Amino acid sequence: MARTLTFLGIESSCDDTAAAIVRQSGTGTNETRTEILASVVSGQTDLHAAFGGVVPEIAARAHAEKLDLCVEQALEQSGVELSDLDGIAVTAGPGLIGGVMSGVMCAKGIAAGTGLPLVGVNHLAGHALTPRLTDDMAYPYLMLLVSGGHCQFLIAHGPEEFTRLGGTIDDAPGEAFDKTAKLLALPQPGGPNVEVEAEGGDPKAFAFPRPLLDRPNCDMSFSGLKTALLRTRDEVVARHGGLPRAIRRDICASFQAAVTDVLVKKSRRALAEYMALAPETPGFAVAGGVAANRAIRAGLESVAAESGARFVAPPLRLCTDNAAMIAWAGIERFRLGHTDQMDLVARPRWPLDRKAAPLLGSGKKGAKA
């Protein structure tokens, strides 16, 4: 029987302070059972609302104030004591460096005080491994990681082995959604509010571009789409002396349709590359905040059905940033015998596929995620 492991997960890479308790236990056979005993997420939407986006310094201070409270709440909800834990997993990057540092230091403090093993986790790996937490998806599987800061196609071969097939060469889709909301005077977070507006609009009202569809690879671009939307908004305002609600809905619907088309068609190409590996149990999963968009989910599900691959989209609460995925990724790393010491550092950049050339270039601190 596999050894039962209970891990505390800590996440603070952007604007959600989170702590969770996850347990994986053996069943007496080769099978295991995984439970999320507690998952606490403290958002910061109100703190950043006046700025139209996340302010790193404000986020870092809020993490420092809330991390211990979230950990305490997760332990209380789960009925687990610190002495019952087998390890502590923490997001060590990539992300806003102040927030990542807050989480790493909190985890180090708990590890030092308890003597528990410390496991640093790549935030992107947390998202990429979520289908194994929720649906026990078998390796290798194709993952579309699509969020506010990242967008890439990955083949997950193992907890620490990923092959990137392509990704965005500029803005991530979630960033484009947030900036669209700001341009159209919609409240943050932008993605959910643009989706709500799009429900009442005509997706064919405006012919927004579908960048890079003429290229036979899996790379994407959303910067030009955002610029096209800005110009359309300005033309509407000049013509009508403002932005009528009905037209704003049409703009949102047309924008969402453009993003969906790009993701769907690029997913079709990525699936073709993945299926060429002849996986025994083909699987296609999507994770990240943008995966919560229902129109995008439906489009991706249809592509998976075309290819005969099992489609997995985790529950909405596990698509956005959370600590349950970090605890699970920590368990997977720990089972490989990997832990970290007190010299674990916070990393603003940390690509999953370290062999692939950086999509967004490189700087003094290494390849961008």
Side-chain angles (χ1 to χ4, degrees):
M1 180 173 66
R3 174 189 171 191
T4 296
L5 292 177
T6 305
F7 260 63
L8 165 66
I10 295 174
E11 155 63 21
S12 59
S13 65
C14 190
D15 62 336
D16 286 316
T17 309
I21 308 293
V22 173
R23 175 175 291 159
Q24 185 188 47
S25 55
T27 61
T29 65
N30 291 327
E31 297 180 353
T32 58
R33 181 180 65 187
T34 303
E35 303 173 271
I36 300 175
L37 302 181
S39 181
V40 176
V41 180
S42 178
Q44 302 177 4
T45 301
D46 293 343
L47 297 178
H48 305 282
F51 304 98
V54 178
V55 181
E57 292 80 2
I58 294 176
R61 286 196 294 270
H63 287 310
E65 293 172 358
K66 295 180 180 179
L67 274 165
D68 58 337
L69 300 178
C70 288
V71 170
E72 185 178 8
Q73 189 176 350
L75 291 169
E76 182 178 349
Q77 287 184 7
S78 64
V80 170
E81 301 289 337
L82 284 173
S83 58
D84 298 323
L85 296 173
D86 295 289
I88 301 166
V90 60
T91 295
L96 301 177
I97 191 61
V100 177
M101 288 177 63
S102 298
V104 168
M105 295 307 294
C106 177
K108 284 183 179 181
I110 298 174
T114 60
L116 289 168
L118 177 68
V119 182
V121 171
N122 186 313
H123 176 81
L124 304 180
H127 281 302
L129 296 176
T130 298
R132 290 181 50 76
L133 166 65
T134 60
D135 295 87
D136 196 26
M137 182 165 271
Y139 295 120
Y141 58 88
L142 177 66
M143 161 62 64
L144 170 58
L145 178 57
V146 55
S147 67
H150 312 282
C151 182
Q152 52 190 298
F153 290 103
L154 300 161
I155 297 178
H157 303 279
E160 296 183 323
E161 184 182 356
F162 301 90
T163 300
R164 192 189 71 218
L165 300 182
T168 179
I169 63 174
D170 44 51
D171 293 351
E175 181 183 358
F177 268 97
D178 287 342
K179 289 183 177 178
T180 291
K182 188 173 181 179
L183 290 172
L184 300 180
L186 293 172
Q188 297 291 328
N193 287 296
V194 170
E195 183 180 7
V196 169
E197 285 290 287
E199 291 176 358
D202 178 5
K204 297 181 180 179
F206 297 94
F208 288 133
R210 273 67 169 166
L212 301 190
L213 290 188
D214 58 335
R215 299 188 187 181
N217 57 29
C218 299
D219 290 341
M220 294 162 282
S221 169
F222 297 98
S223 179
L225 173 59
K226 179 187 63 182
T227 301
L229 185 141
L230 170 62
R231 291 173 178 169
T232 298
R233 183 209 64 178
D234 290 345
E235 291 172 0
V236 170
V237 170
R239 188 183 318 124
H240 295 274
L243 186 61
R245 177 71 184 277
I247 296 180
R248 186 171 71 177
R249 287 173 173 170
D250 288 343
I251 292 176
C252 288
S254 299
F255 167 81
Q256 180 175 273
V259 174
T260 301
D261 283 351
V262 171
L263 292 175
V264 164
K265 292 179 181 179
K266 291 294 184 174
S267 293
R268 190 174 285 116
R269 293 176 186 173
L271 272 164
E273 289 190 40
Y274 162 70
M275 295 297 283
L277 301 177
E280 185 175 343
T281 55
F284 176 38
V286 58
V290 179
N293 184 286
R294 292 184 294 274
I296 292 174
R297 276 197 184 212
L300 298 176
E301 187 171 9
S302 66
V303 173
E306 292 172 11
S307 300
R310 175 191 180 195
F311 180 73
V312 169
L316 300 184
R317 63 188 176 88
L318 295 179
C319 281
T320 52
D321 290 350
N322 65 92
M325 68 180 188
I326 302 303
W328 170 253
I331 288 174
E332 291 236 42
R333 280 202 72 209
F334 188 76
R335 288 202 182 278
L336 293 178
H338 297 172
T339 59
D340 293 282
Q341 304 304 315
M342 287 299 165
D343 58 355
L344 175 68
V345 297
R347 304 173 63 171
R349 302 171 183 173
W350 192 359
L352 283 178
D353 186 348
R354 281 166 264 181
K355 296 179 181 179
L359 280 167
L360 301 178
S362 186
K364 293 182 180 179
K365 297 185 178 179
K368 294 184 181 180

